Amino acid sequence: MPAPLSFAEQQAVFSRLRAANPHPVTELEYRDAFTLLVAVALSAQATDAGVNKATRGLFEAAPTPQAMVALGVEGVAAHIRTIGLYRQKARNAVALSQRLIDAFGGQVPSSRAALMSLPGVGRKTANVVLNCIWGLPAQAVDTHIFRVGNRTRIAPGRDEAEVERAIEDNVPAEFQANAHHWLILHGRYVCLARRPRCAVCPIADLCPYEPKTTDPA
């Protein structure tokens, strides 16, 4: 496993990412902790744009755990059928809503363990909620962050768990709260999987990836 970038290099990388986007946020649309939790749970193997299109109507019909349970699996499925695995996700949305009512008084908990006790909620989903709602430096590693972390050596790792730990261990503390936002957006729009846009990358000169592309497309 290659060594991560040095502390000074990490400082330079994230200073540039922050300068380009001082206040990064998730591209999922949500109203509160509950709707963010549902949106993130629905986003597995789906695009944020696709999830947003589906959840606009869903959250109008069911903005609370109680309303989601009342809507029922078939009602939820009718709203999200354009999303992959929508039937299982509809079951999870209703089941996690019922669990919130039964175990947490209808409120979204603020601990990772409690969040991960909910149906359909894994570590990545829990970390997004912890970061976006409570501002905790939780690193939600997806395929974009896994790629960027390894390609740039910001956070090398053999799996998502190793990349998460590498971000926590190596990214300077002042950047931890927004690190996963900067990395996912960089992977989504610049450091693309098949042909990274090195010519327009703000950290190209700090990145060890070779061969770099030369066209901005």
Side-chain angles (χ1 to χ4, degrees), residues 32-53:
D32 52 21
F34 172 67
T35 52
L36 177 63
L37 174 65
V38 173
V40 180
L42 295 178
S43 70
Q45 301 182 46
T47 66
D48 285 2
V51 172
N52 290 340
K53 184 177 180 180

Side-chain angles (χ1 to χ4, degrees), residues 124-202:
K124 182 178 75 173
T125 297
N127 281 351
V128 172
V129 175
L130 293 173
N131 180 265
C132 294
I133 299 299
W134 287 283
L136 299 178
Q139 308 304 331
V141 177
D142 68 351
T143 55
H144 293 300
I145 296 178
F146 182 81
R147 177 178 69 256
V148 171
N150 279 286
R151 184 180 277 171
T152 63
R153 294 219 310 266
I154 290 170
R158 286 166 289 194
D159 54 33
E160 292 181 353
E162 283 194 0
V163 170
E164 180 182 338
R165 287 194 296 273
I167 295 172
E168 293 171 345
D169 291 345
N170 298 299
V171 174
E174 67 180 294
F175 303 111
Q176 284 280 333
N178 287 318
H180 100 267
H181 289 300
W182 283 315
L183 293 175
I184 193 172
L185 293 170
H186 190 66
R188 187 172 288 167
Y189 297 111
V190 179
C191 196
L192 308 179
R194 294 187 179 180
R195 189 169 181 80
R197 303 176 65 215
C198 300
V200 298
C201 175

Side-chain angles (χ1 to χ4, degrees), residues 76-139:
V76 173
H79 284 283
I80 67 168
R81 63 177 66 254
T82 56
I83 300 175
L85 306 175
Y86 75 93
R87 289 195 179 278
Q88 181 59 50
K89 290 178 180 180
R91 287 192 287 270
N92 285 341
V94 173
L96 75 82
S97 297
Q98 187 65 62
R99 172 74 175 164
L100 287 175
I101 295 167
D102 294 342
F104 302 103
Q107 301 300 307
V108 175
S110 58
S111 81
R112 182 182 287 114
L115 286 165
M116 291 178 64
S117 73
L118 302 171
V121 176
R123 187 178 182 88
K124 182 178 75 173
T125 297
N127 281 351
V128 172
V129 175
L130 293 173
N131 180 265
C132 294
I133 299 299
W134 287 283
L136 299 178
Q139 308 304 331

